[in-house]
Amino acid sequence: LHIKRLLNSWKVMWVVLADDAIEFYKKKTDNSPKGMIPLKGATLTSPCQDFTKRMLVFKVRSAKNQEHFFQATHLEERELWVKDIKRAITCLQGGKKFARKSTRRSIRLPENVNLSELYVLMKDQDKGVKELKVEKDKRLFNHCFTGNTVIDWLISERKARNRPEGLMLATGLLNEGFLLPAGDVSKDGAEKGAECVFLDQTEALYYFADSGFFCEGYSSDEDVIMKEEFRGAIVKQGCLLKQGHRRKNWKVRKFILRDDPAYIHYYDPTKGENDPLGSIHLRGSVVTAVEYVPDAKRYEVDGNLFEIITSDEIHYYLQAATADERKDWIKAIQSVSKTGK
């Protein structure tokens, strides 16, 4: 998924690379695309410097000279998209059709394995993988399970003959989005390369994609969610770039600001608003415009930056698309931090 520029504004879209075109949808579940960009005779520009205030942008110009702009959520994502789109254009020039290497082939899954059916069996309340509450690092993870439990289940149900075979199946489920990582250990495995890596470990936590997973605890850059945080009325919402706390990389996040209690939640814009990645308690916090980020390591980030410092001294660095947008966010957060609980 990318932020795409439509009619002079940027919108979050679900983007699909077909063998001869780029299709974009309003949301992942839509049956028909909102638009399509033919790739035959197209050119790609990356990085695209047309928008000085936006990072990670690339441009696709169709054979009819129509320009389409996309913004990735992080550098690795942009590079993967650019690589595959260029390969697709090259294939079409040579009279061939582009076919991206599938998860099934890249991890050598047998053709007779049906991951959808396997997922349904794993979720069976009586015979499937049991969902647990796990307390870890001062947080309580609900509706999750450990990596080694998944491998144990696959072997016990005779879906895999041994642990390496079970690991191959679990990796397939992870790459196809049936299983999702929860917590630092499993997320590190999932983020290491182009293919997600499933970990056969007691420390690695996972959850079913359509489960009621949530995590209770302190505000952080992870899956933190506390039910009472959502009582307040929505004051403002929109997309901003946010710097991660561990990796210091910048990703597009959707933010929703609420008052009474004063919280701002941030979400992966590709996954809707059911599962926030984290929350920031704003009561007593300070928010100011800044000109630079002192410990930015991986990206040159410049312009429209602001910083939130919470009452317990946690620093969050954010970037708005324009100066006016930054001003509006600062004003709204300052108001909520003073009046909200």
Side-chain angles (χ1 to χ4, degrees):
L1 185 137
H2 292 259
I3 308 288
K4 186 183 188 298
R5 187 172 170 83
L6 288 171
L7 302 175
N8 295 321
S9 65
W10 292 85
K11 302 289 185 184
V12 176
M13 308 293 290
W14 182 259
V15 181
V16 175
L17 176 59
D19 53 12
D20 60 355
I22 298 173
E23 300 172 346
F24 48 97
Y25 299 75
K26 191 172 182 181
K27 54 182 184 290
K28 184 179 180 180
T29 52
D30 287 353
N31 292 321
S32 57
K34 189 176 180 70
M36 185 182 73
I37 307 165
L39 290 177
K40 189 172 183 178
T43 57
L44 186 145
T45 304
S46 178
C48 173
Q49 306 295 339
D50 292 38
F51 303 93
T52 56
K53 299 299 183 184
R54 283 190 174 266
M55 302 164 54
L56 309 176
V57 174
F58 62 92
K59 176 172 67 176
V60 177
R61 185 196 294 268
S62 70
K64 294 183 178 180
N65 282 328
Q66 294 175 322
E67 293 185 335
H68 302 266
F69 300 92
F70 297 87
Q71 181 181 28
T73 57
H74 54 281
L75 182 62
E76 291 87 348
E77 183 191 44
R78 185 185 69 181
E79 297 311 307
L80 286 170
W81 274 93
V82 166
K83 178 183 174 183
D84 279 345
I85 292 171
K86 283 183 176 178
R87 284 179 57 207
I89 292 171
T90 303
C91 285
L92 290 168
Q93 286 173 345
K96 301 176 183 178
K97 282 195 172 183
F98 167 72
R100 188 173 186 271
K101 187 169 73 171
S102 69
T103 299
R104 178 177 295 277
R105 287 174 185 164
S106 64
I107 58 175
R108 300 186 302 279
L109 273 181
E111 290 299 325
N112 63 342
V113 171
N114 187 319
L115 292 177
S116 297
E117 288 182 3
L118 186 59
Y119 178 66
V120 171
L121 292 172
M122 289 181 74
K123 287 200 67 186
D124 185 278
Q125 291 189 344
D126 296 321
K127 297 182 179 180
V129 175
K130 303 302 179 188
E131 295 177 290
L132 305 169
K133 286 185 177 180
V134 179
E135 190 170 349
K136 186 176 176 61
D137 299 330
K138 299 181 182 178
R139 285 175 287 169
L140 183 63
F141 294 87
N142 295 267
H143 300 284
C144 70
F145 38 83
T146 62
N148 68 308
T149 300
V150 173
I151 308 302
D152 289 344
W153 181 88
L154 288 167
I155 294 172
S156 68
E157 293 295 313
R158 298 183 179 178
K159 304 299 179 186
R161 291 171 294 180
N162 49 48
R163 300 197 84 80
E165 202 170 275
L167 198 57
M168 181 179 65
L169 288 173
T171 298
L173 289 163
L174 186 67
N175 275 279
E176 293 299 320
F178 292 109
L179 303 182
L180 297 172
D184 295 346
V185 175
S186 57
K187 284 186 176 181
D188 280 345
E191 293 173 0
K192 276 183 178 175
E195 299 290 348
C196 298
V197 177
F198 190 91
L199 302 177
D200 180 10
Q201 298 176 14
T202 56
E203 295 295 304
L205 301 178
Y206 299 90
Y207 62 98
F208 294 124
D210 55 353
S211 75
F213 170 81
F214 67 94
C215 170
E216 297 175 282
Y218 55 85
S219 291
S220 76
D221 201 22
E222 301 299 333
D223 323 83
V224 179
I225 171 172
M226 298 182 74
K227 294 174 185 176
E228 62 269 21
E229 297 173 7
F230 298 91
R231 290 200 312 264
I234 295 176
V235 176
K236 185 174 175 61
Q237 57 183 310
C239 285
L240 298 165
L241 273 173
K242 176 184 175 293
Q243 186 192 49
H245 276 140
R246 282 189 301 114
R247 295 177 179 270
K248 304 301 180 186
N249 55 347
W250 293 80
K251 293 185 180 181
V252 176
R253 296 292 181 231
K254 181 174 181 180
F255 285 80
I256 297 181
L257 175 64
R258 293 178 171 88
D259 67 355
D260 197 24
Y263 275 93
I264 189 168
H265 296 89
Y266 49 95
Y267 304 77
D268 182 336
T270 69
K271 296 178 182 176
E273 297 168 15
N274 294 323
D275 297 310
L277 296 173
S279 63
I280 306 170
H281 190 195
L282 296 172
R283 178 65 175 169
S285 65
V286 176
V287 56
T288 54
V290 294
E291 296 307 314
Y292 68 97
V293 176
D295 57 352
K297 292 182 178 179
R298 295 182 64 181
Y299 306 118
E300 291 283 336
V301 181
D302 186 31
N304 306 319
L305 295 162
F306 62 99
E307 176 185 21
I308 300 172
I309 307 175
T310 66
S311 58
D312 52 354
E313 298 291 323
I314 298 176
H315 294 243
Y316 295 86
Y317 291 101
L318 307 166
Q319 184 186 42
T322 66
D324 286 342
E325 189 178 323
R326 176 175 71 171
K327 184 178 177 182
D328 289 345
W329 272 106
I330 290 174
K331 184 178 178 181
I333 293 170
Q334 282 177 338
S335 176
V336 166
S337 68
K338 291 174 183 175
T339 60
K341 293 177 184 177

